[in-house]
Amino acid sequence: MIEELDDFDKKIIHHLQMNGRLANQELAELVGLSTSQCSRRRIHLEQQKIITGYYAQVALRADPTPVMGIIEVKLQNYNDATHDRFVEFLLHEPAVKDIHKLTGSYDFALKVAVQNLDEMVKLIGILSSSDFGVSNLNTSIVLEKLKENGIATK
């Protein structure tokens, strides 16, 4: 169980979400702590898996996989074996960037990124194969990213 986050922890998380490249001294100034206290808290948040990683947000025009899509998936028979096989595939498929388990009409929403539309067609074909028991797919191609991870991309 994760301990309760105090206001300093919440501020650290907030500022790192906005800019994961902040040096400890900059972060400390923003949250009102000494550099050493801030560094210890940051390390603790990482060790507790509250902060799970840092990454670069890449403009669509510079992305080697510029064709992005959102695929909603409904499984036909939602049993453990089918679910586990499907999730295992998703976890190891490099084109699948994000996986969200849902309530409502679909069971999953996937954010996928591929090099071109031919790769998208292949991925959709694999997802809709009988191996995974998918009853319905809804695919949308992303035309433009306006905001990602809470940060405007323009």
Side-chain angles (χ1 to χ4, degrees):
M1 184 166 195
I2 298 172
E3 70 269 5
E4 195 67 29
L5 300 176
D6 67 15
D7 287 340
F8 288 117
D9 291 335
K10 291 174 185 175
K11 287 179 185 177
I12 290 169
I13 292 167
H14 168 75
H15 287 292
L16 288 175
Q17 284 179 307
M18 300 308 290
N19 181 0
R21 297 183 72 190
L22 285 172
N24 280 326
Q25 185 173 349
E26 295 171 299
L27 185 58
E29 289 172 12
L30 289 168
V31 300
L33 290 171
S34 71
T35 304
S36 61
Q37 286 177 318
C38 186
S39 178
R40 279 194 296 276
R41 284 175 175 267
R42 181 184 203 163
I43 291 167
H44 181 74
L45 291 168
E46 292 167 353
Q47 289 173 339
Q48 294 300 307
K49 303 286 189 228
I50 294 168
I51 295 175
T52 59
Y54 303 89
Y55 70 96
Q57 206 166 314
V58 179
L60 202 53
R61 69 187 185 296
D63 193 332
T65 54
V67 178
M68 186 177 294
I70 306 296
I71 302 176
E72 296 170 302
V73 180
K74 176 74 175 166
L75 297 180
Q76 189 171 23
N77 297 317
Y78 202 89
N79 62 48
D80 288 343
T82 303
H83 171 271
D84 292 350
R85 188 170 51 251
F86 184 66
V87 170
E88 189 67 23
F89 168 77
L90 297 177
L91 292 173
H92 292 95
E93 171 55 49
V96 177
K97 303 304 179 190
D98 295 325
I99 307 166
H100 301 278
K101 207 168 182 181
L102 306 174
T103 63
S105 300
Y106 289 91
D107 298 314
F108 296 91
L110 314 174
K111 181 172 110 178
V112 301
V114 294
Q115 289 182 350
N116 53 51
L117 289 177
D118 287 340
E119 284 189 16
M120 185 69 76
V121 170
K122 287 178 189 172
L123 179 60
I124 291 167
I126 293 168
L127 290 172
S128 60
S129 74
S130 61
D131 293 345
F132 301 124
V134 171
S135 68
N136 194 13
L137 287 178
N138 182 45
T139 305
S140 300
I141 301 297
V142 174
L143 299 176
E144 185 178 10
K145 288 195 284 187
L146 303 175
K147 186 176 183 181
E148 186 175 43
N149 293 316
I151 301 169
T153 58
K154 292 199 166 234

